Structures are given as C-alpha cells and as structure tokens.
C-alpha cells in the first residue's frame, strides 16, 4: 500500500545550523513552550528521601563509576569484575533484626528493597552506563523512566556484566532487572510504590592461587596470569533472587489537614536459590594433590543447592500532627524457609532439611520536624517465640548551609543469618545444624559536615558475634564451620574527608582510622585506610568541554584479612597471612560534553614497579594494571 505526504518544509522558516544543533527554535521565533526545571526530575527512596537528576562531572562521580555504581572506599575488589569484595571498613555493615539467607559474599551487587529508587520526571529520562572490563566482556547499566501522568511513573532498568578475567576459571556473568512503579492520587490521599527485581550472579570459582611465591617472585613467565596454578579449574557458583515488593499508604480523612490519620501496609516476597558445582574434586598444589574442601561423599560432579524464601507483611496506623509530629504504631509478620531436599543422619547428629522462621513484631515510630531539627525514633520487639528487638534513634540538625550534624544510636538483638544455623553439602565437613544465641549490637554514630572537613564516627560493641573459621591446620585446605564468640568486641572508627582547592587544581583526601578491642582475633580490619586524589579541572572550547584529570592514591595498613570460601559464598577469619601496606595508583582522564560523561582510567598503573605484594585476600591477588574506558549518557528534554 502506498500513500503520499504533503510537503510543508517550504512553509517553515529556515533555521541556522547552530539552532538545529541545539534543538531550539529559530532566534526570531518566540518560544511559548513550557520549560522543565531540574527539580522536576526527582528520585525518591522508600524512606521518601529525594534527590534530583545530576549530570555534573565531579570527583565523586569518578569514585562511583564502577560495577557497583557507588563509592568503593572501604571495599577491596577481587581480581575480576563481578566477584566479591573484601570489607576494609566494618562500619559499612548494616544491621537488621531479621535473619537473612547468608552467602553474603555474593550479595554486593544485589539491590535490597530499601535501595530501590522511584522516579518522578517531567519528561522521559534515559541513562546509559558502560565500562570496559578485564579481558573480554562488558559492563552495562540502562535506566528509563517516564511519567504517564503527573501522578503515575513507570521505570525499567537492566544491569548486566560479563567479564572473563585474567586468571584461570574466574569468568563472571551477572544480570539485574528492575521494574518500578509509583502512583499517588491528585489529593495525595493514596500513595503506592512497588517494584519487581530479578537478579543473578554466576561466578567461575578457582579457589585462589596455590603458590603465592610464584606470584610474588615477579618471574617473567608468570606475567601471563593464566600460568599461575589455581585450586579449582571447573567449579562455579550461581545465585538467583526474585522479589516482589509493595509499599502503600492511605489517608483516612479525605483532605489533608493539621491532623491526619493514615493506614499503611508493606509487603515483600522474595525467593532465592544458591548452587555450587564442582565436577573435579582433586586439586594440584605443586607436585602433590589435595582436597581443597576436605572429603566428600561423592567422587566427582559435586553439586550443592540451597533454597530460600521469605514473606514479610507490615501493617501500621499513623497519626500526623503538624505541630507535634508523626506517630506510627505497627505490627509485622516475618516468615522464611531455608531448606534442602533431604535429611542427613550423621555420627554427629541429624541435619534437618529446613529451617523455618515465624516472627511477629510490634513497635512504634515517632518522627518530628522543628525548624532546623529532624528526629526519628523507632522501637520494635518480637512477641513470638523467636525473640528479636531493635531500638533506633536518628537526629539531624541543620544549622545552616555550611554546618549539618547527624547523631545516631542503635541497640539491636538479631538472629544470626540462616547459613550459620543450617547447611548441607556433599562435602563431609560442610554439614551443620546449630542454635546460636542472638547477636547483640550497640552502635553510637555521628556525622558532621562543615566548611573545614566532613567527618563520621562510630563506636560499636558486639556480643555473641557469629563468624566462620577454618579448622584445618593445612593452609591448602579449607574446612570451614561457624562459631560464636561469647565475649565482647569493641570497635571504633573515625573517618575524615577534606578537599583543598587552589585555582584549577584540587586535592581530595579521605582518611579512615579503626581500632578493635577483643580477646580473640574475630573482627579483623586495617588500622588505617587512605585515599588521596590530586586532580585538575577546566573548561575548553568556549565551555563546551569540561575536563577532569588526575591521580588517585589508595593505601591500607597490613592486617589479617578474611579469606573467601566459594562453597558457602562467605568470608572466614584466618591468622596465617597478612595483606596490605602497598600503594595503589590510578590515573584518570574524564570529560563532559553536554550530558555525556566520558571516563578513561589506567587502574593500578604502578603494579609493574612496586612489587607483586598486592592481594585482595590471602589467596587472591589484586588486579594488575588495566586501561579501562567508560561513559554515562543521559537523555531528557
């Protein structure tokens, strides 16, 4: 079928090339269209904290241009993108009273329900992220948001990675799909936020290098990292999770007034699955053979599978008074199953097939705003047989634009993650059933933003801390089991940040000091973590191009870092090898043209000159020098 069109181009006034490039109207025409301001492009968290779309190029954006899309200070990356991260800063750990599945080394890239952001945009918004990886593969993240009406927003996002890595058997492949919806009635009487996520991470597991001396010798034949012997050549792990989440609120009185009454409800259903496969059980270490994880009940094709699901409901009643603040009373129901498809009868006892939780809490929350003060106080306690409790207090004080202070306190009694209390494996030493006591954690924290420095402090005491340890005396074996430290651990962290500018140059500094007081080496962190960035910024070509280039220095003192175990996807405590006390330099060149930011970085460019003493954990070397390219591209009108 053919059809014709009317040629109306001749009736339109001619536009200059510059106007067509800018997409704007002719200079002689009067633009009567509406203009969308930047505060009309909002991103809102579950706690209703709001930020605006930001296309600036800053050193903070340089720090967050990575696989996790956030500042990695306090985390130490493994050799390949898409693998685990060793934790240098313990105060990054977030505590919730409910038990989680476990396999925490696999969850760094997983977005929890409170990390999902909901959009409200005046016009459709697209963000494209790309970064090259190590060896073959790519890392991408795309996001699209549109308001079908002023009250209804739909957003969709996908994050994917495939990286081959430089060592034998360390390919990483991950995917993260997110769909978000937010809606409110015009009168704001009813509001709902909902999302669906499907996330997975596949890792080939090599168990680390077998002989550190080969790596540290700087022998030219080992510059090709494929020549370094590893424990596992065909093992892999896979974690998959799907979540459906709804949070909505309804105002009982038809119109907003000085006194308002709300009914709230939150629903979270999550399903997870972890699988560890190892076709070949025997590992070669030099001229001898070892079983890396001890004896097994199979001779080959080992396959461990763990299933987990949870359902959480929370119903509340909120009374809001514009003078007195907001009072909330709630009751929640937490149900979870951590399970296998068999019951094991061993000499040590019976290993059940399932660990089920059924916890009910009641609690209240008070929120108050007054001039420069904002406070939030939460109290919850279980009324079921499995007792947990949580007390939280947070107080913000904004003196002015230059001075802001945050004070926090948390007292929590939490159930250990399920993997500590139940695990089944075809490895004989990886079967246990425990009933550990609740972990008790007290935290006092503070933050200060001033013209002179930004600082944060945390003082924590941990009682009945649960951890993993290696019971084997042979360094080539990992016989991991959970344990509970009945004493008290005292932890202190002090973090200071300051940027010094002089003309077009700047020096951005971050220093973290940590101290642990404990009778047994259970919580191990470096005493000092440092990052310094010296960089230059300037506009070029009549301010059409903005450039930032500089060098970043990273350093942490020596300490007994935790080691990684792929069978359980967790880190465990060790006292055989220290890592740290090596410099790490990165050179970067970043540029911005309109809404496009381009990133070029030479990571760890000093690796060939300062010795092969850099590790991510005792058996996993840190990354060699790599030149990587990336960009972030925003589209919106």
């Amino acid at each position: 079928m053919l059809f014709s069109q009317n040629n109306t181009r001749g009736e339109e006034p001619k536009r200059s090339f510059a106007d067509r490039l800018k997409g704007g109207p002719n200079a002689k025409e009067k633009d009567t269209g509406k203009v969308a301001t930047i505060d009309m492009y909002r991103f809102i968290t579950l706690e209703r904290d709001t930020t605006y779309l930001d296309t600036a190029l800053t050193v903070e954006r340089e720090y967050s241009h990575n696989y996790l899309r956030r500042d990695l200070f306090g985390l130490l990356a493994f050799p390949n993108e898409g693998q685990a991260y060793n934790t240098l800063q313990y105060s990054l750990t977030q505590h919730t009273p409910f038990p989680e599945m476990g396999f925490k080394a696999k969850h760094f890239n997983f977005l929890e329900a409170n990390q999902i952001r909901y959009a409200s945009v005046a016009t459709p918004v697209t963000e494209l992220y790309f970064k090259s990886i190590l060896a073959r593969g790519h890392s991408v993240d795309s996001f699209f948001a549109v308001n079908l009406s002023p009250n209804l927003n739909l957003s969709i996002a996908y994050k994917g990675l495939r990286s081959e890595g430089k060592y034998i058997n360390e390919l990483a492949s991950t995917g993260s799909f997110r769909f978000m919806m937010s809606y409110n009635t015009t009168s704001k009487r009813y509001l709902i936020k909902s999302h669906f996520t499907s996330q997975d991470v596949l890792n080939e597991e090599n168990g680390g290098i077998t002989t550190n001396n080969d790596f540290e010798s700087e022998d030219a034949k080992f510059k090709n990292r494929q020549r370094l012997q590893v424990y596992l050549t065909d093992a892999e792990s896979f974690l998959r999770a799907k979540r459906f989440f709804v949070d909505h609120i309804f105002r009982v009185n038809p119109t907003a007034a000085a006194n308002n009454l709300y009914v709230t409800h939150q629903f979270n259903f999550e399903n997870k699955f972890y699988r560890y496969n190892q076709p070949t059980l025997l590992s070669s270490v030099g001229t001898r053979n070892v079983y890396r994880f001890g004896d097994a009940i199979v001779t080959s094709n080992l396959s461990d599978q763990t299933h987990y699901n949870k359902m959480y409901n929370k119903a509340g009643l909120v009374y809001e008074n514009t003078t007195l603040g907001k009072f909330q009373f709630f009751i929640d129901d937490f149900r979870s199953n951590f399970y296998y498809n068999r019951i094991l009868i061993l000499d040590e006892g019976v290993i059940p097939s399932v660990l089920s939780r059924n916890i009910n809490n009641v609690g209240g929350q008070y929120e108050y705003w007054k001039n420069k003060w904002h406070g939030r106080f939460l109290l919850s306690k279980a009324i079921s047989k499995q007792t947990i409790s949580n007390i939280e207090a947070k107080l913000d004080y904004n003196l002015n634009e230059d001075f802001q202070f945050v004070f926090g306190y948390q007292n929590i009694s939490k159930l250990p993650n399920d993997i500590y209390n139940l695990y089944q494996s075809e490895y004989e030493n990886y079967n246990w059933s425990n009933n550990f006591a609740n972990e008790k954690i007290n935290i006092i924290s503070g933050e200060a933003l001033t013209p002179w420095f930004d600082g944060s402090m945390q003082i924590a005491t941990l009682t009945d801390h649960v951890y993993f340890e290696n019971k084997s005396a042979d360094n080539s074996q990992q016989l991991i089991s959970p344990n509970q430290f009945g004493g008290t651990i005292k932890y202190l962290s002090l973090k200071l940040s300051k940027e010094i500018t002089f003309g077009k140059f700047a020096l951005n500094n971050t220093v973290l000091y940590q101290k642990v007081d404990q009778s047994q080496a259970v919580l191990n962190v470096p005493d000092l973590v440092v990052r310094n960035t010296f960089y230059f910024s300037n506009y070029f070509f009549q301010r059409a191009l903005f450039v930032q280039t500089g060098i970043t220095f990273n350093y942490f003192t020596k300490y007994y870092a935790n080691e990684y175990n792929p069978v359980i996807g967790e880190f465990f405590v060790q006292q055989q090898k220290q890592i740290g006390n090596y410099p790490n330099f990165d050179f970067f060149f970043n540029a911005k043209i309109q809404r496009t930011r381009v990133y070029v970085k030479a990571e760890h460019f000093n690796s060939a000159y300062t010795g092969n003493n850099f590790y991510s954990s005792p058996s996993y070397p840190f990354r060699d020098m790599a030149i990587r390219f990336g960009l972030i591209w925003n589209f919106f009108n």
Side-chain angles (χ1 to χ4, degrees):
M1 184 175 68
L2 303 177
F3 64 94
S4 63
Q5 297 176 337
N6 292 328
N7 183 5
T8 60
R9 291 179 58 88
E11 301 172 5
E12 298 177 355
K14 293 184 178 180
R15 302 166 62 196
S16 67
F17 175 77
D19 283 336
R20 295 200 304 272
L21 185 63
K22 295 177 182 177
N26 189 281
K28 296 181 180 180
E29 297 181 66
K30 183 178 179 180
D31 185 7
T32 59
K34 295 182 179 180
V35 177
T37 56
I38 198 65
D39 60 352
M40 299 173 70
Y41 297 87
R42 297 176 294 162
F43 297 93
I44 307 159
T45 67
L46 187 61
E47 298 296 330
R48 293 173 177 78
D49 292 331
T50 302
T51 57
Y52 302 122
L53 182 64
D54 188 358
T55 61
L57 178 63
T58 63
V59 70
E60 286 77 18
R61 296 294 182 271
E62 157 63 24
Y63 294 151
S64 62
H65 189 261
N66 52 60
Y67 169 61
L68 298 187
R69 305 297 306 274
R70 60 188 175 94
D71 191 346
L72 295 182
F73 184 85
L75 296 177
L76 182 60
F78 263 49
N80 192 18
E81 202 83 283
Q83 291 183 305
Y85 293 80
N86 220 332
T87 302
L88 302 176
Q89 180 181 349
Y90 174 75
S91 54
L92 293 176
T93 307
Q94 301 293 318
H95 302 285
T96 61
F98 296 107
E100 299 175 353
M101 177 188 188
F103 306 97
K104 297 303 292 182
K106 297 297 180 183
H107 281 78
F108 284 95
N109 183 50
F110 275 61
L111 292 174
E112 302 298 335
N114 59 357
Q115 295 175 306
I116 299 294
R117 297 192 308 164
Y118 304 88
S120 176
V121 293
T123 58
V125 171
T126 300
E127 180 176 282
L128 302 178
Y129 164 93
F130 167 82
K131 190 171 186 179
S132 60
I133 45 75
L134 308 169
R136 291 179 293 183
H138 57 267
S139 175
V140 297
D141 192 3
S142 56
F143 173 84
F144 174 75
V146 59
N147 269 65
L148 301 183
S149 73
N151 301 338
L152 174 63
N153 177 272
L154 300 178
S155 304
I156 189 170
Y158 181 79
K159 181 179 181 180
L161 173 135
R162 185 175 178 85
S163 179
E164 183 182 43
K166 297 294 184 69
Y167 293 78
I168 294 174
N169 199 52
E170 69 166 8
L171 179 141
S173 178
T174 70
S176 174
F177 171 81
R178 295 100 68 197
F179 176 77
M180 292 76 70
M181 184 274 291
S182 61
Y183 170 78
N184 62 268
T185 58
T186 303
S187 63
K188 301 290 181 69
R189 188 178 186 185
Y190 178 74
L191 300 92
I192 182 173
K193 290 181 173 62
S194 177
H195 71 256
F196 170 79
T197 61
S198 178
Q199 306 177 80
D200 63 78
V201 53
L202 171 69
N203 289 118
E204 291 181 342
E205 304 282 4
N206 61 28
I209 59 176
T210 61
T211 311
N212 290 351
N213 289 337
D214 290 343
F215 172 72
E216 296 173 7
S217 67
E218 301 185 50
D219 191 327
K221 67 181 180 182
F222 293 119
K223 286 185 177 179
N224 180 354
R225 301 308 188 193
Q226 296 276 334
R227 293 180 176 176
L228 286 168
Q229 192 178 42
V230 296
Y231 284 100
L232 312 173
T233 58
D234 55 7
E236 70 174 28
S237 63
F238 177 70
L239 176 65
R240 181 188 66 230
K242 294 183 179 180
R243 178 175 63 243
F244 179 70
F245 178 88
V246 177
D247 182 87
H248 50 158
I249 181 170
F250 175 75
R251 189 179 65 238
V252 177
N253 43 305
T255 59
N259 296 280
N260 301 294
L261 185 65
Y262 299 90
V263 177
T264 66
H265 175 241
Q266 187 179 108
F267 172 79
N268 186 351
F269 178 79
E270 198 161 23
N271 184 285
K272 292 185 179 182
F273 167 74
Y274 181 79
R275 181 185 68 229
Y276 175 76
N277 289 336
Q278 187 181 340
T280 305
L281 304 190
L282 199 61
S283 300
S284 297
V285 180
T287 58
R288 67 188 181 102
N289 294 327
V290 299
Y291 287 96
R292 178 64 163 162
F293 308 115
D295 297 331
I297 60 177
V298 295
T299 58
S300 63
N301 296 320
L302 181 144
S303 180
D304 294 339
Q305 298 184 15
T306 304
H307 297 264
Y308 175 81
N309 59 50
K310 77 172 183 182
M311 183 173 67
Y312 177 74
N313 277 283
K314 178 181 178 182
L317 194 64
V318 179
Y319 169 71
E320 180 186 46
N321 180 278
T322 54
T323 303
L324 300 178
K326 184 184 292 186
F327 301 84
Q328 179 181 9
F329 304 94
F330 63 86
I331 182 170
D332 61 21
D333 179 74
F334 176 92
R335 299 171 185 263
S336 69
N337 295 291
F338 183 92
Y339 62 98
Y340 299 88
N341 59 3
R342 64 188 179 185
I343 297 175
L344 295 181
I345 303 176
L346 307 176
D347 294 338
E348 298 80 8
V350 176
I351 309 297
S353 62
V354 61
L355 175 60
S356 296
R357 309 284 195 183
N358 188 354
I359 305 171
N360 294 111
N361 276 341
V362 294
Q365 178 175 298
Y366 174 63
E367 197 166 358
Y368 179 72
W369 298 268
K370 181 66 175 179
N371 298 330
K372 301 174 181 180
W373 295 91
H374 176 210
R376 186 174 69 89
F377 308 92
L378 170 70
L379 171 64
S380 67
K381 187 174 178 59
I383 55 175
S384 54
K385 292 181 180 180
Q386 296 176 322
T387 59
I388 60 175
S389 63
N390 186 26
I391 300 173
E392 287 186 53
K394 186 178 180 181
L395 188 63
D396 298 348
Y397 178 64
N398 295 326
L399 180 62
N400 51 45
E401 293 183 357
D402 295 326
F403 293 89
Q404 290 112 41
F405 303 94
V406 180
F407 308 95
Y409 173 74
Q410 184 177 30
N411 182 314
I412 187 171
S413 174
K414 69 182 299 293
L415 285 165
N417 290 342
D418 289 341
I419 192 173
Y420 291 105
N421 282 317
L422 176 64
Y423 193 75
Q424 288 190 15
S425 172
E426 293 180 337
Y427 278 115
E428 295 179 2
N429 291 280
Y430 286 74
N431 292 281
W432 55 74
S433 176
N434 301 306
N435 187 21
F436 288 123
N438 282 19
E439 296 181 89
K440 293 85 175 177
I441 304 168
N442 274 279
I443 298 174
I444 299 174
S445 61
E447 297 180 33
L449 302 175
T450 72
W452 308 296
F453 64 86
D454 296 342
S456 63
M457 176 271 294
Q458 184 181 105
I459 301 174
T461 58
L462 294 77
T463 306
D464 295 327
H465 179 67
V466 182
Y467 63 98
F468 287 103
E469 63 180 355
N470 186 9
K471 291 187 175 181
S472 175
D474 185 352
N475 290 339
S476 62
Q477 275 196 324
Q478 294 182 1
L479 306 181
I480 307 303
S481 65
N483 201 355
Q484 187 163 39
F485 177 59
T488 299
I489 302 171
K490 298 178 181 179
Y491 168 80
L492 167 69
S493 72
L494 181 62
K495 181 179 176 181
L496 297 175
S497 301
K498 172 64 178 176
E499 181 167 281
I500 304 171
T501 59
F502 31 98
K504 298 175 182 178
F505 294 88
L507 179 63
N508 187 282
N509 308 281
T510 303
V511 178
L512 170 69
Y513 172 76
Q514 300 177 109
K515 187 67 176 178
V516 181
D517 182 12
Q518 55 190 344
S519 60
Q520 183 178 332
V522 172
L523 180 62
N524 299 318
V525 292
D527 291 340
L528 197 65
V529 183
V530 178
R531 180 178 66 193
N532 307 106
T533 301
F534 180 73
Y535 65 99
F536 167 83
S537 305
N538 197 18
Y539 285 96
F540 296 92
F541 305 111
Q542 297 181 343
R543 302 182 69 85
L545 172 68
F546 179 70
V547 169
Q548 275 190 347
T549 181
I551 294 177
T552 298
F553 166 72
N554 290 283
Y555 173 84
F556 62 92
T557 53
K558 270 193 172 184
Y559 80 111
Y560 288 103
N562 290 347
E563 179 64 290
Y564 169 68
N565 179 272
V567 178
I568 58 174
E570 294 272 1
F571 284 89
F572 64 90
V573 174
Q574 61 86 33
Q575 289 291 314
Q576 284 73 45
K577 181 178 176 60
Q578 289 186 324
I579 69 170
N581 194 31
Y582 62 82
N584 183 345
F585 289 94
D586 299 333
F587 171 79
F588 64 89
F589 181 90
N590 303 332
K592 177 188 175 184
I593 305 174
Q594 293 183 345
R595 297 165 186 162
T596 305
R597 287 145 287 168
V598 179
Y599 299 83
V600 180
K601 179 184 284 190
E603 296 181 351
H604 198 191
F605 67 82
N606 62 302
S607 61
Y609 311 105
T610 51
N612 287 355
N613 63 337
F614 44 88
Y615 287 88
S616 299
S617 75
S619 298
Y620 291 82
F622 187 66
R623 300 171 182 176
D624 294 296
M625 175 184 172
I627 298 177
R628 303 177 66 182
F629 165 80
L631 62 85
I632 297 178
W633 200 347
N634 287 101
F635 302 89
F636 65 97
N637 185 8

